[in-house]
Amino acid sequence: MTAEPSSDTGRVVVGFDGSDSSRDALSWAARQADLTGSTLEIVMTWELPSSYGWAVPVPDDFDPESDAQRALDAAASEALLHHPGLEVRRRLISGHPAPALVEASKAADILVVGSRGHGEFVGMLIGSVSSYCATNAHCPVLVHRNAS
């Protein structure tokens, strides 16, 4: 008996927020997707700033969704520059990154997130997207830590 090859490609999901650690995670994820013939899905979230009882002045041209879209498009272009044959999907989501990435991890082969390197104690105090993903994702999670 021989197994029939699947017509579906795999899916590598990576969280991106524009930080150096997320750029490194994106680079690793793009290479992994390229090596495995998988689709790369770049997920970026955005939120309106919170205010706690007082009005926060914002410029007239303040548009965090458009800013996030530009950053996401630039990240996808960078991935394609280094891996021209790669299929790249972009997902811009309004909301907090941790639950958005966990939701995106459904049916993914791997979820890749960067580590900002806060360390165990500080991460425990402020919460950590990578920690939340590692404990709640629907697939294996790689927390990419920069070597430097």
Side-chain angles (χ1 to χ4, degrees):
M1 176 196 245
T2 58
E4 295 210 12
S6 172
S7 61
D8 295 335
T9 61
R11 203 166 126 250
V12 175
V13 176
V14 61
F16 183 78
D17 66 4
S19 67
D20 288 343
S21 61
S22 74
R23 288 180 195 286
D24 291 340
L26 173 60
S27 177
W28 189 94
R31 184 169 187 270
Q32 180 67 17
D34 197 19
L35 288 171
T36 59
S38 300
T39 298
L40 177 66
E41 185 172 311
I42 307 169
V43 177
M44 186 168 193
T45 65
W46 66 277
E47 293 181 290
L48 289 172
S50 299
S51 106
Y52 298 99
W54 61 88
V56 177
V58 294
D60 291 336
D61 63 345
F62 179 69
D63 187 357
E65 183 177 13
S66 292
D67 293 343
Q69 185 65 59
R70 280 191 293 279
L72 180 58
D73 291 342
S77 294
E78 180 74 16
L80 286 168
L81 178 67
H82 297 289
H83 305 279
L86 193 59
E87 181 181 345
V88 177
R89 294 184 187 148
R90 302 163 196 168
R91 287 185 63 193
L92 184 61
I93 301 168
S94 173
H96 192 274
L101 288 168
V102 167
E103 181 64 26
S105 75
K106 290 181 178 175
D109 294 321
I110 190 167
L111 171 62
V112 182
V113 291
S115 170
R116 294 210 178 173
H118 287 303
E120 226 173 278
F121 184 70
V122 175
M124 204 169 47
L125 292 176
I126 64 172
S128 168
V129 170
S130 59
S131 177
Y132 184 87
C133 289
T135 57
N136 293 285
H138 302 276
C139 66
V141 176
L142 180 122
V143 179
H144 187 277
R145 189 163 177 92
N146 196 357
S148 56

